Amino acid sequence: MATLLRKIGLIRLHNRDTEDPKHHHNHRGGGGGQQSASLRGKGGAKSGGHKPQQQQHPAGGAGDASPGPGKGKGKRAAELAQRDKPPQPAAGAAGAASGGGPRERAAGARAGPGPAAAAAAAAAGGSLVPAARQQHCTQVRSRRLMKELQDIARLSDRFISVELVDESLFDWNVKLHQVDKDSVLWQDMKETNTEFILLNLTFPDNFPFSPPFMRVLSPRLENGYVLDGGAICMELLTPRGWSSAYTVEAVMRQFAASLVKGQCTVDV
C-alpha cells in the first residue's frame, strides 16, 4: 500500500512539473526562436538570391534631370515672349480705362490712379477753377450793368443816354447831353451845333471791382483833362482811385465837372 501511494505522489509531481508556466514559456520561446531563425534564414536566402533592378528612364523623360531638346526650345520661346510683352499699365488706370467687370473696377479703385491719371486729373482740376471763377465774375458784371441801364433809363433830366455797341452789354456808347451852362464848353457846343459829347465805355471782366476804360469819341476836345486821342486823365478811373460803389451815372457827372474845371473847349 505504501508503495502504491509513493507512485501516485511521484506521478502528481511529474504532472505538476510538466504543467508549470515557466516550463511552457521556455518551451514556446525556444520553438519561436527556432521558427523566426528559420524565417530569417529563408528571407536571407531570398534576398541574397534577388538582384535589385536599376530604374531606367528614357532620354528627355519626366524622370531625367536634364531637359530634352523639345523642352529647351519651349522654355526659350516662353522667355522671348515674356521679354517682348508690352508693359502693363497701373492697376488703377487699367481698371478705369478698360471698363471691365465689377471686380476689375473695384481693384482699380483700390489701387488708385496711376501717375499719368493723377497728372491729368490735377490739370483738369486746375483748369476748372479759373473757369468757375470766370463764370462767377461774368454773372456779377452782368447783373450790375443791367441795374445800371435801368437806373439810367429812369433819369428825369436826361443827363446821359446809352447805346450798346453790337448788342454787347459790356461795351457802351454814352452820350453826355448836358454840362454846366455857364461854362465855356457849353457856349462852344452851342456855336458848333454839338448836341452831345460821345464817349465809349468798356467794362472789364472784374467790373465793378475795377474801373471801366473810358475815352472821348467826338467832338475833339482840348484841355479839361482830355488827352490826344480822347483818353481821359482822371484819378477816379485808375485802380487806386476807383471804388466798386461808383455808378456809371456818378462817373459821368464827375467827368462833366472835370471838363468845366479844366476849361475844356471844342476844337473846331
Side-chain angles (χ1 to χ4, degrees):
M1 187 66 179
T3 304
L4 180 61
L5 291 175
R6 281 195 298 270
K7 288 183 178 181
I8 292 172
L10 291 175
I11 292 171
R12 290 180 177 176
L13 290 174
H14 176 73
N15 293 336
R16 187 184 63 182
D17 293 337
T18 56
E19 293 178 358
D20 186 32
K22 294 181 180 180
H23 175 76
H24 288 286
H25 176 72
N26 293 332
H27 178 73
R28 292 176 183 175
Q34 294 176 1
Q35 184 178 3
S36 62
S38 64
L39 292 175
R40 284 196 300 269
K42 293 179 180 180
K46 291 181 179 180
S47 61
H50 176 70
K51 293 183 180 180
Q53 297 180 359
Q54 295 181 356
Q55 187 176 1
Q56 297 180 358
H57 301 283
D64 196 356
S66 59
K71 187 174 180 181
K73 292 182 179 179
K75 185 176 180 181
R76 180 60 178 173
E79 292 178 355
L80 293 176
Q82 184 68 22
R83 186 184 61 184
D84 297 337
K85 185 183 296 184
Q88 297 294 332
S98 62
R103 294 183 178 178
E104 288 77 1
R105 289 194 294 269
R110 287 194 299 269
S127 62
L128 288 177
V129 172
R133 188 173 182 179
Q134 177 94 20
Q135 183 178 5
H136 175 70
C137 292
T138 302
Q139 292 175 355
V140 171
R141 179 175 58 161
S142 300
R143 288 195 298 264
R144 174 63 179 270
L145 291 177
M146 288 296 295
K147 185 178 183 302
E148 295 273 0
L149 285 174
Q150 294 173 0
D151 293 342
I152 292 173
R154 288 195 295 263
L155 290 176
S156 59
D157 59 353
R158 191 174 166 77
F159 173 65
I160 57 175
S161 62
V162 175
E163 294 179 357
L164 301 182
V165 178
D166 297 331
E167 302 297 328
S168 174
L169 184 61
F170 313 124
D171 194 359
W172 293 7
N173 280 343
V174 180
K175 295 178 180 179
L176 177 60
H177 296 281
Q178 298 179 12
V179 294
D180 187 0
K181 294 181 180 180
D182 295 332
S183 65
V184 177
L185 178 59
W186 179 257
Q187 296 298 325
D188 288 347
M189 290 175 66
K190 288 296 184 179
E191 292 177 0
T192 58
N193 295 324
T194 303
E195 297 181 0
F196 53 81
I197 298 174
L198 182 63
L199 300 97
N200 177 259
L201 275 72
T202 303
F203 300 93
D205 294 340
N206 55 348
F207 179 85
F209 306 105
S210 293
F213 176 74
M214 188 168 71
R215 64 191 181 94
V216 177
L217 298 180
S218 66
R220 182 182 177 89
L221 301 178
E222 292 182 354
N223 302 323
Y225 308 101
V226 178
L227 307 178
D228 293 340
I232 300 171
C233 182
M234 290 177 58
E235 185 178 2
L236 182 146
L237 296 176
T238 63
R240 183 176 180 179
W242 176 256
S243 172
S244 60
Y246 292 155
T247 62
V248 174
E249 178 189 358
V251 171
M252 295 303 298
R253 291 190 183 276
Q254 183 68 26
F255 171 68
S258 67
L259 290 178
V260 175
K261 182 179 178 180
Q263 298 181 355
C264 180
T265 60
V266 177
D267 186 10
V268 181

